[in-house]
Every structure is written in C-alpha cells, then in structure tokens.
Amino acid sequence: MATMESLIGLVNRIQKACTVLGDYGGGDNTFSSLWEALPSVAVVGGQSSGKSSVLESIVGRDFLPRGSGIVTRRPLVLQLHKTEDGSQEYAEFLHIPKRRFSDFAVVRKEIQDETDRITGKSKQISPVPIHLSIYSPYVVNLTLIDLPGLTKVAVEGQPESIVQDIETMVRAYVEKPNCIILAISPANQDIATSDAIKLAREVDPSGERTFGVLTKLDLMDKGTNALDVLEGRSYRLQHPWVGIVNRSQADINKNVDMIVARRKEREYFATSPDYGHLSNKMGSEYLAKLLSKHLESAIRARIPSITSLINKTIDELESEMEHLGRPIAVDAGAQLYTILELCRAFDKVFKEHLDGGRPGGDRIYGVFDNQLPAALRKLPFDRHLSLQNVKRVVSEADGYQPHLIAPEQGYRRLIESALNYFRGPAEASADAVHFVLKELVRKSIAETQELRRFPSLQAELAAAANEALERFREDSKKTVLRLVDMESSYLTVDFFRRLPQEMDNKGGNPATPANPANSANPAIDRYSEMHFRRIGSNVSSYVGMVSETLRNTIPKAVVHCQVKEAKHSLLNYFYTQIGKKEGKQFSQLLDEDPALMERRLQCVKRLELYKAARDEVDSVSWAR
Ligand code: GDP
Ligand code: MG
C-alpha cells in the first residue's frame, strides 16, 4: 500500500509538474502527452443517478453540488492529494491560485459560482473544465472527473442540442484509453436502460477499464434486490460490480455528514439480509480501494513509456541548453576567457570560409581570375597609343630637336603614362578583395553559434574586424601601387634591345612591311606615319608585357597584404584592446539578449522539474 501511494503520489507530482509547465510554457507537447499517459477516473451516468454523490464518498468530503435536475454543468477535474496524517485539509482551484479553501461548503459554492461564470445561471452546459485539488490526510491519491449527467430530452431553457452536446462532452473524456470509467446506474431502474453501461460498452468494449457502480440500493422496491446485477448475472463486466448507498436528498437537507453516512452505509450492508454475504465487497470505501488498486497496475504498466517520454524531453531540453550556451561566469577572469573563446570560435569559422569547407573564399580567386584580367583588358591603350597621340607625345618629347634614331624620351613618356593606367585595376583589386573579406566577416559572425547570444560582442567583433580589414586594404593598396610604380621606375632593357632596329630594316623586313621600298630618303621615312605606328606598336607590346606581369603580381600582393593578414591577425589588435579593458567592460561585452536569457531560465526550470520527475519514477519503479 505504501508503494502504491507513493506511486500515485508520483503521478500527481508529475501531473502537477506538467500543470506548472503548461502554465508558463504554453503549447508544450510533452506536457499534454504526459498528462494523457496518466490514468484518471471519470463518472458516467444518467442525470441524478448519484454520480456526484459517489465521487464525494470516494473523496470522503462534502464539497460537490448535488441534487435533482441538472446540477453538474461543467466537467470538474478533481485531483486528490494525500497529505501527512494530522495535517490541515484544504482545497485549491486552478482558476484562483494560492487561495486555500478549508471550508468545503465554500468550495461547493465556488464550484457553483464558477459554473455560472461560464454558463450563466441557466441550465446550459460548458465543456470547459473546472480544476480543483484537494489536499487531505484522509484521501487516496486520485484524479477524478465529475461530468454532467446524460439526458434524454432538453428541458425548458435548454437548447435542443443539449442531449447530444452532453454525450459528446462525456464521450470526449471517457474514450481516452487512459480513462477509468465509473459507470453509475441507479438500482431502482432496470439495468437494461442504463445510459452509463450503454456508453461504457461503446468506448470500452472489452470492459477493461469500466467499473460498474450500482447506487440507490436503499431505494429499491420492497421485495426486490440487485443481486443479479451485483453478482454479474444480469450484465457481466470484467471488474466486479460495487453496490453503494449514498445519502438521500432528505439526508442532504438534514446535513448528515460524511462520517455518519459512511457508518450508515457500512451498517446497511452488514445487516442487509440480501447483501450481507457481500458486505466486504460493497460500499464507497471498498470502491475507493478497488480503484486505487486498479490505478496502480495501470500506472505500473505505463512507467516505461512515461520514463522514455521524460527522458526524451530531458534530452531535448539539454540539447536546447547546449544550443543556448552555458550561463555566463561572474568573475572578470572567466569572462575574459569566455570572450577569447568566442573570438576563437569566430576566427575558426572565418578561416573555414577562406580555406574552404565553408563557401566564399573562392570569390577571392574570382577577383583574380575574372575581374582583374577584365579590368586590364578594358584599359584604354588603343586611345593612348593612337597614331595621333603617339605623334603628339613623341614630338613634345623631342622639343626643338627631333630625334635622330629612336625617340628615347618619347618612348619613356608614352610608357610611363600608359603604366599609370594600371593604378586603377590595382586599387580595384584591393577593394574587391576587401569587400569579399568584409562579407565573410559578417557571415562568420552570423554563423558562429556561440556568438548568437551576445549581440554586443558581435557588434564589437564586427567593428574590430572591419577596422583591421580597412588597415590591410590600405597596406595592400600601397603595395600594389608600388608594384605599378616599380614598373615605370626601370624599364626592361632586354625588351628594347631585342626590338628590330629601323635603320637595319630597309631591306624590306617583314616586320616593317609598309616601309616604302622606293623611298629615296630614309630620314623622311623616320618621320612617316609608319614610323609612329611602329613606336605605338612597340609601346603597346611593352605595356602588354607589363600587364601580364601585373596580372600575376597584383594577386600575390593582395593575398599577402589582405588575405593572409586577415587569416593570421584579424583580431590581434582587438586582443590588445581587450587586454587593456577593465572587468566591468567584460560583462558589458557579454551582455546577452534578454529574450535568450529568459529562454535559458525557462529551460533550466523545466529541466529541474523533469529531472525531479525522473528521479521519482526511478525510485518508484525500484521500490517493489
Ligand atoms: P448526479 O446528478 O448523478 O450527480 O446525482 P447526485 O449525486 O446529484 O444525486 C442526485 C440525487 O439522488 C440527490 O438528491 C441524492 O441525494 C440522491 N441519491 C444519490 N444516491 C443515492 C442513494 O444511494 N440513496 C438515496 N436514497 N439517494 C441517493
Ligand atoms: Mg452531479
């Protein structure tokens, strides 16, 4: 019995825990399925068959509105909690939390008032349940449900649909496989007309969870008895029938109390000529014990599934905790450590983006492989080396004395000004890579799970990283511009040495096909269009060679100054700055999103509840 009580106590604990969870969690699936996994007891029967009276006597307290006509008009979900011997008895409603009712007459009044609050003072019904808990040393731990009685016709003030509405409501409770049905039939009516048995048979054909209760044995016609029913001859049920004698309306009017009523019931059976031989298997006390015993086995059978449900929820909660991250430490040292850990986590993601594994690093190659060559191709050398411009630049460079053999100064000027054009694509490469890196920083911050909860640190990190990238870009620009400048500082001598000398080309060299062979004076030739074209084409091929070189060296410089730096020292400056900060500033950096903090708090609370429930289940399942 002790084990059983702790077992049912456990059930009530879990249910209570679930109610708490349900209250602040809202829409918690585990909550509802756990609730559904646990058995409850519902009374079913015709109107005035004695349902409320039976429930009351199982509880051993007067607190339910009873009487003729439709009295119970909303489901009443009643949780009985056994408390320590000698403790004060009290009741609590879910709709008035924290108020303890010690006067059960007031409880009854509140049930009536709360019923009226939803249905109005009419004969209407409502499926919205009233939740009531009773704490008492005199009860066994049970969840009981009082339901409106099944009727056949709508009476004055009721809608036509009421007969169906009541049946639907009652059915909703009793068709759940975990619901134990107390099918109440009055002994002064033929069992063949019992609505309770009819409905119970429909929802529980095997009768596993149906208990037949026969009330009003005292009201049977003189000379008749209910032995055929009680001994299972009229209608056989899986469980034995239990006969009951509740208080009559006259007893209620006279305020006959429960203790007296129970004594009278015991006496009734003990002295009954018809039922004397069954007296130890009759009455409300026996019914309560029978129910508890059945409940115990029902719950025992469910322990494995309850355990696995609880474990599943604990797993889910734990992985959510993992996801939300541990709560932040309070001392500055630990906070600094956390910040550095977070930075490292971000850095790792960022490097994965660069090195591959995560996308984005390939866009840098895209800059070198597409954007830079395309930009180089688009440089306006055609215009720069047009015949007209070549003529102008060369003549200007010659000054008053035209060049005699080759226009050294002209070449230099043409080349230098052409090389200037490379500054644009060189700088643009640094910029393009800068934007790729910046985007990767943004992405990496968003993708670093651990950082999610710290918006302030995210912002600081982003700012620090962008600042570092900005410095790398400056450095990179300087370097690539220097590459360009170097090209104009010293021209490749070999290139010019290898150029065919015009002077030697008079013999109709194919390199100078337009050279008029019939021209008498080579000096005139030197200043002809062809001459300038050749200069243009020489400069153009020199510039082409430089372009080829820069196409290869600019990426090297950009990677060296920006990509590699970003990889190795993106946060170095930030680390130095952080080292100089004070403890107080750490907690500002680790300032969490309040919604997240709240979520973690809830998670912790739930975990505690579920773990406590699991410990309970474990201890009960071992205590056989
Ligand atoms: P419910 O409508 O099914 O909840 O029935 P109640 O519990 O409200 O009872 C209806 C009426 O029948 C009340 O006046 C009770 O006093 C009376 N009653 C219920 N059970 C018995 C019984 O076993 N014997 C006698 N004499 N009256 C009973
Ligand atoms: Mg009732």
Side-chain angles (χ1 to χ4, degrees):
M1 188 69 185
T3 313
M4 184 199 81
E5 287 199 347
S6 66
L7 179 69
I8 300 173
L10 142 80
V11 169
N12 281 342
R13 275 194 66 163
I14 298 174
Q15 285 185 341
K16 235 182 122 182
C18 293
T19 314
V20 176
L21 290 173
D23 275 356
Y24 76 72
D28 186 328
N29 280 338
T30 314
F31 151 66
S32 49
S33 42
L34 201 52
W35 182 272
E36 314 237 301
L38 297 171
S40 56
V41 178
V43 283
V44 184
Q47 197 168 301
S48 295
S49 55
K51 296 180 299 300
S52 297
S53 301
V54 166
L55 271 189
E56 265 193 345
S57 56
I58 291 175
V59 178
R61 282 290 163 279
D62 299 296
F63 63 97
L64 289 175
R66 291 148 309 174
S68 54
I70 182 155
V71 180
T72 310
R73 290 183 285 116
R74 283 175 65 182
L76 177 86
V77 176
L78 175 65
Q79 283 190 27
L80 306 182
H81 307 264
K82 171 142 178 54
T83 52
E84 275 173 37
D85 284 346
S87 53
Q88 182 75 35
E89 232 179 357
Y90 65 91
E92 251 177 27
F93 286 96
L94 191 67
H95 66 271
I96 326 174
K98 296 209 176 83
R99 180 164 154 208
R100 294 184 169 192
F101 292 76
S102 47
D103 183 346
F104 282 86
V106 181
V107 171
R108 178 183 314 147
K109 173 85 175 34
E110 180 54 35
I111 295 174
Q112 278 163 349
D113 292 351
E114 176 59 19
T115 301
D116 292 345
R117 257 169 234 144
I118 296 272
T119 61
K121 273 195 192 307
S122 61
K123 289 177 180 158
Q124 312 263 19
I125 56 155
S126 158
V128 181
I130 299 173
H131 287 272
L132 173 65
S133 285
I134 292 183
Y135 299 83
S136 161
Y138 310 116
V139 298
V140 271
N141 294 298
L142 275 179
T143 299
L144 303 167
I145 301 162
D146 193 13
L147 291 164
L150 301 161
T151 56
K152 300 255 189 282
V153 287
V155 297
E156 190 59 36
Q158 289 179 333
E160 276 307 314
S161 64
I162 193 148
V163 176
Q164 193 53 50
D165 291 346
I166 294 178
E167 198 194 308
T168 309
M169 184 202 304
V170 171
R171 202 182 273 275
Y173 281 89
V174 297
E175 72 190 356
K176 295 196 177 118
N178 63 330
C179 180
I180 294 163
I181 305 168
L182 283 191
I184 316 278
S185 316
N188 56 355
Q189 275 171 28
D190 199 317
I191 199 70
T193 66
S194 167
D195 295 321
I197 293 296
K198 179 167 171 278
L199 186 65
R201 195 167 49 185
E202 276 176 43
V203 297
D204 176 32
S206 66
E208 271 167 28
R209 51 189 182 92
T210 302
F211 286 81
V213 179
L214 211 56
T215 56
K216 305 194 183 181
L217 284 175
D218 59 317
L219 292 185
M220 290 187 74
D221 280 344
K222 288 225 158 43
T224 60
N225 66 45
L227 279 177
D228 277 351
V229 176
L230 292 176
E231 292 181 337
R233 284 187 295 278
S234 305
Y235 186 80
R236 229 192 128 60
L237 282 172
Q238 187 95 355
H239 300 286
W241 281 84
V242 180
I244 295 267
V245 176
N246 289 316
R247 280 164 292 179
S248 64
Q249 189 60 44
D251 292 336
I252 292 171
N253 296 348
K254 276 187 284 176
N255 279 328
V256 171
D257 77 28
M258 182 66 69
I259 314 282
V260 175
R262 281 198 166 169
R263 201 188 62 229
K264 277 170 93 176
E265 190 190 29
R266 266 199 306 275
E267 281 168 12
Y268 175 89
F269 285 111
T271 61
S272 161
D274 291 326
Y275 312 117
H277 65 293
L278 293 174
S279 66
N280 62 339
K281 291 189 168 172
M282 292 289 134
S284 2
E285 279 169 274
Y286 179 73
L287 178 62
K289 281 192 194 132
L290 196 68
L291 274 177
S292 300
K293 232 177 118 189
H294 178 74
L295 225 62
E296 181 194 359
S297 58
I299 295 170
R300 279 224 178 274
R302 292 221 159 83
I303 283 184
S305 63
I306 292 175
T307 310
S308 72
L309 198 59
I310 291 177
N311 282 340
K312 192 175 143 252
T313 314
I314 288 179
D315 285 350
E316 282 167 10
L317 287 171
E318 275 176 345
S319 76
E320 185 172 356
M321 281 296 282
E322 193 77 9
H323 187 80
L324 293 173
R326 277 163 289 140
I328 311 146
V330 256
D331 69 296
Q335 287 183 342
L336 177 60
Y337 181 79
T338 307
I339 293 175
L340 295 180
E341 285 240 283
L342 292 168
C343 292
R344 266 193 289 278
F346 154 76
D347 214 34
K348 186 165 166 278
V349 175
F350 181 68
K351 280 184 184 141
E352 282 170 14
H353 272 298
L354 285 180
D355 294 339
R358 288 176 195 256
D362 51 320
R363 282 175 47 208
I364 294 176
Y365 177 65
V367 172
F368 303 147
D369 194 42
N370 300 318
Q371 281 157 259
L372 175 62
L376 292 174
R377 273 195 302 276
K378 270 193 230 135
L379 292 178
F381 293 127
D382 285 351
R383 188 155 33 84
H384 183 65
L385 299 175
S386 66
L387 184 63
Q388 199 185 356
N389 203 43
V390 170
K391 256 187 194 162
R392 186 179 62 75
V393 173
V394 171
S395 322
E396 274 175 23
D398 280 349
Y400 72 90
Q401 167 76 71
H403 63 274
L404 301 179
I405 298 171
E408 179 83 11
Q409 274 309 317
Y411 265 113
R412 276 186 186 282
R413 284 199 191 172
L414 276 172
I415 289 174
E416 266 163 36
S417 48
L419 292 186
N420 259 334
Y421 285 111
F422 287 117
R423 300 175 80 89
E427 282 190 305
S429 299
D431 284 335
V433 169
H434 175 77
F435 290 121
V436 175
L437 291 173
K438 217 170 141 177
E439 172 63 11
L440 291 185
V441 163
R442 193 193 62 74
K443 261 189 167 161
S444 304
I445 285 178
E447 284 167 17
T448 307
Q449 272 307 333
E450 298 90 325
L451 266 180
R452 286 233 165 127
R453 42 198 278 230
F454 303 113
S456 309
L457 184 60
Q458 277 185 33
E460 287 274 331
L461 258 183
N466 287 337
E467 222 179 276
L469 289 182
E470 207 65 63
R471 279 199 309 277
F472 303 152
R473 164 161 75 169
E474 283 318 303
D475 188 39
S476 177
K477 275 193 181 173
K478 271 189 204 141
T479 309
V480 290
L481 290 181
R482 186 166 276 207
L483 284 180
V484 176
D485 290 345
M486 277 154 60
E487 288 297 337
S488 39
S489 311
Y490 188 70
L491 304 183
T492 309
V493 181
D494 270 359
F495 177 88
F496 294 96
R497 295 238 165 104
R498 275 203 305 268
L499 279 182
Q501 289 305 304
E502 288 173 40
M503 294 288 278
D504 313 332
N505 282 348
K506 273 191 286 179
N509 190 310
T512 54
N515 199 8
N518 57 353
S519 173
N521 187 355
I524 294 168
D525 208 16
R526 194 162 298 153
Y527 292 97
S528 76
E529 229 167 59
M530 269 301 95
H531 174 67
F532 289 107
R533 266 193 219 290
R534 195 171 309 115
I535 293 173
S537 115
N538 287 342
V539 170
S540 167
S541 61
Y542 185 79
V543 167
M545 182 191 73
V546 171
S547 172
E548 193 58 29
T549 309
L550 288 177
R551 201 167 61 84
N552 292 314
T553 51
I554 287 175
K556 290 177 206 276
V558 166
V559 169
H560 180 78
C561 298
Q562 286 175 276
V563 183
K564 271 187 98 176
E565 278 304 299
K567 230 171 99 176
H568 295 307
S569 56
L570 184 66
L571 293 179
N572 281 4
Y573 185 68
F574 184 63
Y575 291 146
T576 336
Q577 291 303 101
I578 281 255
K580 289 184 202 144
K581 286 201 181 191
E582 309 222 339
K584 240 193 359 246
Q585 290 164 296
F586 295 151
S587 42
Q588 275 164 13
L589 275 182
L590 293 176
D591 189 13
E592 273 189 290
D593 180 356
L596 225 133
M597 267 150 87
E598 178 56 32
R599 185 95 195 108
R600 182 186 310 106
L601 221 66
Q602 283 194 9
C603 225
V604 170
K605 271 195 208 156
R606 279 189 200 192
L607 253 179
E608 271 169 17
L609 275 169
Y610 276 99
K611 279 185 173 164
R614 180 171 66 183
D615 290 349
E616 278 301 311
V617 178
D618 284 350
S619 69
V620 177
S621 46
W622 286 99
R624 281 231 172 221

